[in-house]
C-alpha cells in the first residue's frame, strides 16, 4: 500500500490547509515534528507528493474558455508532436491515450476566436493528422484529491485492523 492511515491524514491536511507550517501540521496531527518531516520526505521520495505549488485559475488569468482537444498523430510522430504541444502555452495538460485519437489535451483560451487560433496552430504541427474539440460548459466536479486520500486512509485503516 503506497500510504498508511497516518500518511492519509497528513495528505488530507496538506490538501485542506496548504499554507500551514510543518510545526502546525505536527501539532494538529498530534505527532512529533520529526515524524511528520520524515513522512513528508518519504511521500515526496515515493512520488506521492509531487508539488507544493498553488492552484491557479486560468479563468481568473483571462482564459475562461476551456476545451478538450483530441489529436490524431501520424504513426511514429507522437514524441515530436508532444514536444511541439509543450511550446503552446494555452495547453495546460496533454496525455497519450487509447481509443479515439492519440493525444488528449486540456486547452484554455481568452474567447472562442482565440481557441480557434490555438486549434489552427495545433493543426499546423508536423505529424498532426486531425483534431476534435469538445468545449467545457460548466465544471461539475472540480479537480480534487481529498475523497481519494480519505478512501486510501480508510482502506489502510481496515488493513491494519485486520492484521
Amino acid at each position: 500500500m503506497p500510504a498508511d492511515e497516518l500518511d492519509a491524514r497528513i495528505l488530507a491536511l496538506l490538501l485542506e490547509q496548504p499554507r500551514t507550517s510543518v510545526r502546525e501540521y505536527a501539532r494538529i496531527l498530534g505527532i512529533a515534528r520529526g515524524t511528520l518531516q520524515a513522512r513528508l520526505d518519504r511521500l515526496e521520495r515515493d512520488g506521492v507528493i509531487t508539488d507544493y505549488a498553488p492552484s491557479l485559475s486560468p479563468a481568473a488569468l483571462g482564459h475562461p474558455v476551456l476545451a478538450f482537444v483530441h489529436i490524431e498523430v501520424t504513426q511514429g510522430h507522437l514524441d515530436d508532436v508532444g514536444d511541439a504541444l509543450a511550446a503552446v502555452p494555452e495547453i495546460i495538460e496533454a496525455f497519450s491515450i487509447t481509443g479515439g485519437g492519440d493525444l488528449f489535451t486540456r486547452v484554455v483560451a481568452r474567447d472562442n476566436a482565440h481557441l480557434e487560433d490555438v486549434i489552427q496552430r495545433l493543426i499546423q504541427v508536423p505529424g498532426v493528422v486531425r483534431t476534435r474539440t469538445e468545449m467545457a460548459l460548466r465544471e461539475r466536479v472540480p479537480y480534487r484529491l481529498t475523497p481519494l486520500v480519505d478512501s486510501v486512509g480508510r482502506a489502510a485503516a481496515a488493513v491494519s485492523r485486520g492484521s
Side-chain angles (χ1 to χ4, degrees):
M1 179 151 297
D4 65 16
E5 188 176 5
L6 178 56
D7 291 337
R9 289 177 49 218
I10 292 167
L11 294 170
L13 191 57
L14 286 172
L15 292 169
E16 292 165 9
Q17 300 179 31
R19 295 180 57 147
T20 302
S21 69
V22 171
R23 175 180 287 155
E24 182 63 11
Y25 288 141
R27 186 194 67 72
I28 292 168
L29 292 166
I31 61 175
R33 185 181 181 282
T35 300
L36 175 63
Q37 190 61 60
R39 293 286 184 126
L40 290 172
D41 292 344
R42 182 181 50 78
L43 290 167
E44 287 177 30
R45 194 173 48 253
D46 291 350
V48 175
I49 297 174
T50 58
D51 201 355
Y52 289 97
S55 295
L56 304 177
S57 166
L61 289 170
H63 289 68
V65 174
L66 172 62
F68 301 97
V69 180
H70 298 260
I71 302 172
E72 187 177 323
V73 177
T74 303
Q75 201 163 12
H77 289 83
L78 195 57
D79 289 338
D80 295 334
V81 171
D83 291 344
L85 297 181
V88 180
E90 294 85 359
I91 294 178
I92 59 175
E93 286 185 299
F95 300 91
S96 300
I97 60 168
T98 62
D102 300 299
L103 292 165
F104 181 75
T105 64
R106 192 167 144 206
V107 179
V108 295
R110 293 183 302 271
D111 53 34
N112 289 352
H114 181 217
L115 176 61
E116 182 182 12
D117 293 343
V118 172
I119 293 167
Q120 290 302 316
R121 182 173 174 191
L122 298 179
I123 290 169
Q124 294 177 17
V125 170
V128 171
V129 175
R130 75 178 47 87
T131 65
R132 187 181 87 239
T133 303
E134 297 166 351
M135 300 279 297
L137 300 176
R138 181 180 302 161
E139 183 177 64
R140 298 295 180 167
V141 177
Y143 181 81
R144 69 216 176 117
L145 290 173
T146 301
L148 177 63
V149 168
D150 292 344
S151 175
V152 168
R154 284 191 304 276
V159 167
S160 69
R161 281 192 302 270
S163 304

